[in-house]
Amino acid sequence: MENKRIHGLAYNWLQISFPHNTLYMRELSAFSATEWLRLQPLVYAYKQLRNDLVLSRYLGEGAEGEEAFLESLSGLKGKNILLVTAFEQPLALHWLLFMAKRHVSGFTFLVFDNSKKADRRAAIKAVCQRHNTPYLALPANASRHVNRHHAMAMTWVYERIVRKIEPGIFGFIDHDLIPIADTNPAAHMVNQDCYGRLNTQPTCWSLWAGFCLFRYSRISRTRLNFMYDFSRQLDTGGRNWETFYRHLDKATLVFPEKALSELTKPDNSETRTAQIIDKAWVHIQGIGYNDNFDRKRAFFTDYFRALGVPPLDLESLDSERADKTLPN
């Protein structure tokens, strides 16, 4: 009886405080009795409010050189762009940008640096200059939560850059998603308004934040929010279920294939199982926020060198200030 009373009080408070589900989390009626007993709807509501407040403040912060960056991209209106959220790993970005010029058609790449370390930002900027790729360092992001840190960067780029460029198609890709075969993602969007790796749950779905593309004209009036929605078990970008994805018929959409494939070093000394997306992109996985690059660096350095990617001398990329972090 006491449990039902707690359930009822919490349910009524959320309904009154957030009418019409303005929190955009899972419907209150969809939570089980056990979840209500544990007050999980209240926890999700609190965390979502906190995330929105933190995000709102971050969106108000400008980036150094932002206006000049936008002016230099004025010719991209109506064109297709791919947005790379870089984080701490200049070598992986070097591989991506070199291979993108060889294999990816129909898109201009833009790099947005979400790194915390000043020396990493300097090195990533130098890599972009070497590949003649537009670069913008994002405002310092103090969040220690992996998903929140990434989501804040993506939403900032969408609100402050994409909406001003007004591209044809725009997409976000991870910095460790490297093209290894010819591809044009726009070719999959002739009859649909989004494309990317599917993240699905029993009653909802979203696109993986590391490979997701959208037709701008379809969502130009939508305030995308790339925060996660853990109440629905959706990762980064899951908050867009309520405002965008739920209005689409998933059964009519095409999604890229995801498969595991064996990659072998040129001298056949080592083989690794790697994730291949759309038969064209190899996903190194976990080299930024989880910092698992050291145990993968040698293998992929040899692998990409065999594909013709020139070596990168990190010491030449102005990285003297090792381990110095940006102020919060």
Side-chain angles (χ1 to χ4, degrees):
M1 200 62 186
E2 180 65 18
N3 290 344
K4 288 184 177 180
R5 190 177 74 85
I6 294 174
H7 176 174
L9 288 173
Y11 183 90
N12 290 337
W13 179 82
L14 282 175
Q15 289 280 30
I16 293 170
S17 301
F18 308 104
H20 311 300
N21 197 29
T22 52
L23 276 172
Y24 297 130
M25 56 185 269
R26 191 186 353 155
E27 291 76 7
L28 299 179
S29 59
F31 286 94
S32 67
T34 300
E35 289 174 313
W36 277 105
L37 182 60
R38 295 173 179 170
L39 300 181
Q40 287 185 340
L42 295 177
V43 173
Y44 286 131
Y46 163 75
K47 290 184 176 181
Q48 196 170 104
L49 276 173
R50 176 206 58 196
N51 288 348
D52 284 350
L53 289 172
V54 171
L55 176 61
S56 178
R57 183 174 61 184
Y58 186 68
L59 292 178
E61 297 183 18
E64 183 178 351
E66 181 180 344
E67 290 186 10
F69 179 80
L70 282 167
E71 288 178 6
S72 71
L73 302 177
S74 59
L76 291 179
K77 182 174 181 178
K79 305 292 180 61
N80 300 337
I81 56 176
L82 281 176
L83 316 163
V84 182
T85 307
F87 187 78
E88 310 286 16
Q89 302 296 351
L91 181 56
L93 182 66
H94 168 63
W95 296 337
L96 191 165
L97 296 179
F98 182 91
M99 296 294 281
K101 289 180 180 179
R102 176 187 292 178
H103 291 300
V104 182
S105 60
F107 283 84
T108 297
F109 280 72
L110 312 177
V111 173
F112 298 89
D113 197 346
N114 202 28
S115 302
K116 290 181 177 292
K117 298 177 180 179
D119 68 303
R120 297 288 93 180
R121 289 198 173 203
I124 288 170
K125 182 178 181 179
V127 167
C128 290
Q129 291 173 336
R130 180 170 297 186
H131 290 282
N132 196 29
T133 300
Y135 166 94
L136 184 68
L138 296 179
N141 186 339
S143 176
R144 296 182 180 181
H145 189 285
V146 171
N147 302 84
R148 191 184 311 129
H149 192 269
H150 190 190
M152 289 168 64
M154 292 177 69
T155 308
W156 190 99
V157 171
Y158 173 70
E159 283 289 333
R160 299 188 66 114
I161 304 299
V162 173
R163 288 171 63 85
K164 293 178 181 177
I165 292 177
E166 298 182 338
I169 292 172
F170 73 95
F172 288 95
I173 65 170
D174 270 3
H175 64 160
D176 61 345
L177 189 66
I178 318 297
I180 56 174
D182 292 347
T183 182
N184 180 355
H188 301 285
M189 296 182 63
V190 175
N191 298 311
Q192 60 190 64
D193 295 320
C194 67
Y195 182 72
R197 203 187 83 184
L198 183 63
N199 173 20
T200 185
Q201 297 298 332
T203 61
C204 55
W205 60 276
S206 65
L207 296 181
W208 174 51
F211 188 66
C212 55
L213 294 92
F214 307 89
R215 190 179 310 282
Y216 181 71
S217 61
R218 171 64 175 78
I219 60 170
S220 60
R221 298 181 182 179
T222 302
R223 306 314 291 247
L224 293 184
N225 183 337
F226 288 93
M227 280 291 182
Y228 47 87
D229 184 352
F230 286 168
S231 76
R232 292 187 170 99
Q233 303 304 309
L234 293 176
D235 209 335
T236 307
R239 285 284 295 278
N240 291 321
W241 160 255
E242 190 71 29
T243 57
F244 180 63
Y245 295 123
R246 74 182 182 91
H247 300 291
L248 305 177
D249 183 357
K250 180 164 69 76
T252 66
L253 303 178
V254 174
F255 299 97
E257 295 183 26
K258 180 182 71 171
L260 294 178
S261 180
E262 297 295 318
L263 299 182
T264 303
K265 290 176 68 171
D267 60 1
N268 296 315
S269 63
E270 183 181 358
T271 297
R272 280 182 178 267
T273 300
Q275 186 182 88
I276 306 296
I277 296 175
D278 219 9
K279 300 180 180 179
W281 307 78
V282 60
H283 187 205
I284 300 175
Q285 297 183 278
I287 69 168
Y289 294 96
N290 297 326
D291 199 18
N292 292 323
F293 198 24
D294 284 347
R295 60 189 181 88
K296 302 177 180 182
R297 186 190 310 272
F299 175 88
F300 281 103
T301 295
D302 290 344
Y303 177 78
F304 286 116
R305 183 178 295 145
L307 295 179
V309 181
L312 181 70
D313 182 6
L314 292 177
E315 294 183 0
S316 70
L317 296 179
D318 191 26
S319 56
E320 294 88 355
R321 294 179 293 174
D323 296 325
K324 181 178 180 181
T325 57
L326 296 171
N328 292 331

